[in-house]
DNA sequence: TTGTAGGCGTTATCAA
DNA sequence: TTGATAACGCCTACAA
């Protein structure tokens, strides 16, 4: 048996320097130290200096749990995203972090893995932290999650999509219009046998898919045999495999709209390997405009989504609701941009 | 002015259902409810059932802060990684999560952005949470961080590298040997004018670089004009740009070892665009073996690093130290594997 | 198997 | 500007 960890013997163990330790050191009451730390302007300058010094020398560290318990504010915000292996959500998180960190908020990241049940479990667990706010991806949740959000007594901001019911705080863009925009771009370029590749089947993917369908139907060119879908999670390899499958089934395809850039890279690689010229024989469009999309050969036509801004905005909207500075049901549309490159 | 959020009036506001609410409902003391929830086996079956029912109907949720404060155990583990935009650390995190979540631990993720000062700030902030453990990347820290780790009174596990001093708990592999292995592979394949591309300049990159140098010097083929380095953060685009620069400076290069796969993709794309045949005119090797590396054209030779296992292992080692089940200074070598593909 | 007592470190309230 | 007091919700220690 090796040395156990401190055992956390009991009673925070020897270690912890507390507010009253600092207070004793300075010769004031602990509440004064508390004030000197949180609202320095309410403490006389002389005292403040002595307190700060004592904090330094004693190495005092505030105790988050005690603060949360006493103040009923955890300074914690829960963020639920479907994936971390996706540049999109990493960028969103960094926007959130940048905005919330300076305000003293901790972020509790929940990775739902594109699974609403997992989301439910995560939310339940995280609610025990009494978050001051919840930033959640999309509107597609289990009834239990909806109920928890409603009862959470803290601001909830939905990210990535816009609420058609205009009842919930949200920031995002129209996934449907994105799907339409890319499809129209391909139609405008003269392609007529345009396929669609989808995976994962989350709500946002499905909306893009609807956008594709709407545009194809409007053009009188819709043909469901040019669509391919599997529920698996997205990857470059899967993109390559599905491209092969789809081309077998619909050999006359002249363009392919992939529901995200990873799949599109896979499509590109497949074509390269099979000597299928892009865009000569097959045009390819992606979605999200990941950092690498400008560098592939040929470079990838995609739709740029301002996810970093979505993160910043979602965090800001949370702060605003905390202060009553925002109307309930506010929907913030960040828009999107089609980036035409060599692959189309 | 719009409706503010509940205001968190004070005193946990109307809302909170507490242990004693449940206790009152059932007609027992609150400690009994606490036990029924944490150690069900210590409560009679009949009571347990009634308590569980009351928990359901009242919608009781444990309060993390109160629990942490009373028990001096936060059930929180801090994980510090240099980046989230890197498959490597996302995979590591998922290994950690899988291992720790079932044991009831929350994970506090800190993204240091490859910056030791930022790491210091993050650790300071996170220490306020009284974590039960700290999983940190590498051994390259500021003195303040080293001091905080030493004083933290909780298990600390270092990930990704092995401790030469054999003093610290760690799990990883030899970055130096990796660098050597890839270089030797290229030498074995007959390449002699092998370049090296590095970015970011973190400790691990530098060790791989040393491995490269050692191998080249052993072969009597080392030439520093074939090395290129910039401190910028890694990206596919940067890989392409640096490849162009290096080829200009050292046009006779016949192989290029990139310190990670992202850069290698960039190198691949540059060659494709410039019609430089790979590996005919220039062989390329990467590092990490990201998921896409098997699908590029040509597919990329790389070094597979078992980061998921590192995550699992690091979490396990933390749990073991908590129970005194592991010798101090244990270093767990997960090894690595060279994956030779078309690009070399 | 269940309960009593007391405190974890901090902050809100109210008073001085 | 500063302080005394009483929570916050839960858990450890000990007792019954």
């Amino acid at each position: 048996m090796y040395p156990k960890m401190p055992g956390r013997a009991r009673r925070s163990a020897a270690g912890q320097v507390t507010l009253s330790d600092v207070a004793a050191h300075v010769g004031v009451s602990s509440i004064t130290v508390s004030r000197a730390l949180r609202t320095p302007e309410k403490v006389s300058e002389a005292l403040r200096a002595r307190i700060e010094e004592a904090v330094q020398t004693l190495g005092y560290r505030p105790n988050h749990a005690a603060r949360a318990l006493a103040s009923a504010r955890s300074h914690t915000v829960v963020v639920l995203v479907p994936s971390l292996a996706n540049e999109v959500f990493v960028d969103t998180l960094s926007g959130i972090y940048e905005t919330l960190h300076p305000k003293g908020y901790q972020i509790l990241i929940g990775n739902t893995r594109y699974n609403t049940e997992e989301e439910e479990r995560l939310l339940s667990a995280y609610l025990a932290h009494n978050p001051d706010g919840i930033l959640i991806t999309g509107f597609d949740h289990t009834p239990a999650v909806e109920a928890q959000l409603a009862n959470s007594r803290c601001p909830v901001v939905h990210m990535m999509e816009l609420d058609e019911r205009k009842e919930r705080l949200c920031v995002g863009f129209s996934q449907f219009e994105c799907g339409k925009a890319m499809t129209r771009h391909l139609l405008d370029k003269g392609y007529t046998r345009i396929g669609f590749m989808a995976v994962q089947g989350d709500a946002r993917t499905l909306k893009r898919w609807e956008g594709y369908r709407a545009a194809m139907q409007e053009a009188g060119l819709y043909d469901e045999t040019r669509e391919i879908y599997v529920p698996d999670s997205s990857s470059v390899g899967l993109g390559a495999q599905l491209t092969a499958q789809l081309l077998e089934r619909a050999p006359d395809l002249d363009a392919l709209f992939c529901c995200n850039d990873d799949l599109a890279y896979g499509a590109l690689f497949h074509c390269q390997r099979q000597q299928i010229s892009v865009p000569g024989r097959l045009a390819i469009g992606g979605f999200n405009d990941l950092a690498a999309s400008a560098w592939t050969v040929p470079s990838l036509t995609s739709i740029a989504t301002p996810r970093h801004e979505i993160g910043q905005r979602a965090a800001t909207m949370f702060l605003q609701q905390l202060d009553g500075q925002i109307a309930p049901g506010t929907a913030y549309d960040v828009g999107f941009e089609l980036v035409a490159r060599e692959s189309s």
Side-chain angles (χ1 to χ4, degrees), chain A:
Chain A
M1 197 69 160
Y2 303 99
K4 278 198 190 191
M5 232 15 217
R8 292 275 174 182
R10 166 56 181 157
R11 294 302 155 228
S12 92
Q16 276 271 46
V17 178
T18 72
L19 265 190
S20 44
D21 291 335
V22 178
H25 189 91
V26 178
V28 295
S29 77
S30 54
I31 184 68
T32 303
V33 179
S34 171
R35 272 197 283 257
L37 264 30
R38 288 175 304 140
T39 48
E41 68 279 9
K42 289 188 178 173
V43 171
S44 70
E45 196 140 350
L47 246 188
R48 205 192 313 161
R50 285 166 54 209
I51 290 175
E52 273 166 14
E53 200 192 309
V55 164
Q56 283 298 323
T57 60
L58 296 183
Y60 167 77
R61 305 212 148 283
N63 180 315
H64 181 87
R67 170 173 296 187
L69 186 56
S71 67
R73 305 195 68 239
S74 61
H75 282 273
T76 292
V77 171
V78 167
V79 181
L80 262 22
V81 295
S83 166
L84 284 182
N86 187 332
E87 220 172 293
V88 171
F89 298 107
V90 172
D91 291 346
T92 306
L93 281 169
S94 97
I96 294 170
Y97 179 81
E98 280 170 20
T99 311
L100 255 27
H101 180 74
K103 303 275 183 185
Y105 286 95
Q106 298 293 340
I107 295 173
L108 227 38
I109 301 174
N111 179 352
T112 69
R113 296 159 192 248
Y114 286 101
N115 180 332
T116 55
E117 320 267 298
E118 178 66 11
E119 182 175 73
E120 185 176 322
R121 281 189 291 274
L122 282 168
L123 186 57
S124 285
Y126 284 165
L127 247 23
H129 288 249
N130 272 310
D132 291 348
I134 300 172
L135 310 184
I136 191 169
T137 305
F139 295 109
D140 187 32
H141 311 296
T142 66
V145 166
E146 309 250 7
Q148 285 174 326
L149 293 179
N151 296 331
S152 67
R153 327 186 94 258
C154 69
V156 177
V157 183
H158 299 260
M159 303 181 291
M160 297 305 176
E161 295 182 63
L162 299 174
D163 183 15
E164 286 143 12
R165 290 160 27 200
K166 308 232 175 207
E167 287 170 358
R168 294 165 289 187
L169 269 194
C170 60
V171 48
F173 51 86
S174 168
Q175 304 275 345
F176 177 81
E177 291 301 332
C178 282
K180 239 174 152 171
M182 174 59 80
T183 311
R184 282 201 181 131
H185 163 77
L186 294 171
L187 288 167
D188 288 350
K189 285 276 181 181
Y191 302 102
T192 56
R193 301 180 301 278
I194 306 170
F196 185 83
M197 179 190 299
V199 298
Q200 232 134 36
D202 58 282
R204 273 143 281 123
T205 296
L206 298 181
K207 285 184 185 162
R208 279 171 233 154
W209 195 347
E210 282 171 27
Y212 156 83
R213 265 188 204 156
M216 292 301 278
Q217 279 162 349
E218 278 171 20
L221 292 168
Y222 178 65
D223 177 349
E224 66 171 20
T225 66
R226 301 205 179 102
E227 298 175 336
I228 188 163
Y229 166 78
V230 292
D232 310 39
S233 68
S234 187
S235 73
V236 171
L238 185 58
Q241 294 170 314
L242 292 182
T243 304
Q245 285 180 33
L246 184 57
L247 282 174
E248 199 161 322
R249 183 206 302 166
D252 65 343
L253 217 61
D254 62 4
L256 175 58
F257 175 13
C258 300
C259 77
N260 69 45
D261 278 6
D262 286 306
L263 293 177
Y265 299 158
L268 232 37
F269 294 148
H270 174 80
C271 290
Q272 235 173 285
R273 197 163 283 279
Q274 300 303 318
Q275 321 239 31
I276 298 169
S277 123
V278 177
R281 160 76 179 75
L282 183 72
I284 295 179
F287 185 87
N288 274 330
D289 194 25
L290 301 187
S293 300
W295 297 91
T296 54
V297 183
S299 58
L300 182 66
T301 292
S302 193
I303 287 192
T305 54
R307 57 248 181 199
H308 188 263
E309 185 188 350
I310 290 178
Q312 293 177 316
R313 202 74 226 172
T316 303
M317 289 169 80
F318 149 69
L319 292 171
Q320 288 174 327
Q321 193 183 357
L322 224 43
D323 290 336
Q325 303 288 345
I326 194 170
T330 299
Y332 192 99
D333 188 348
V334 294
F336 59 86
E337 189 188 352
L338 190 130
V339 184
R341 296 205 184 89
E342 298 164 349
S343 74
S344 65

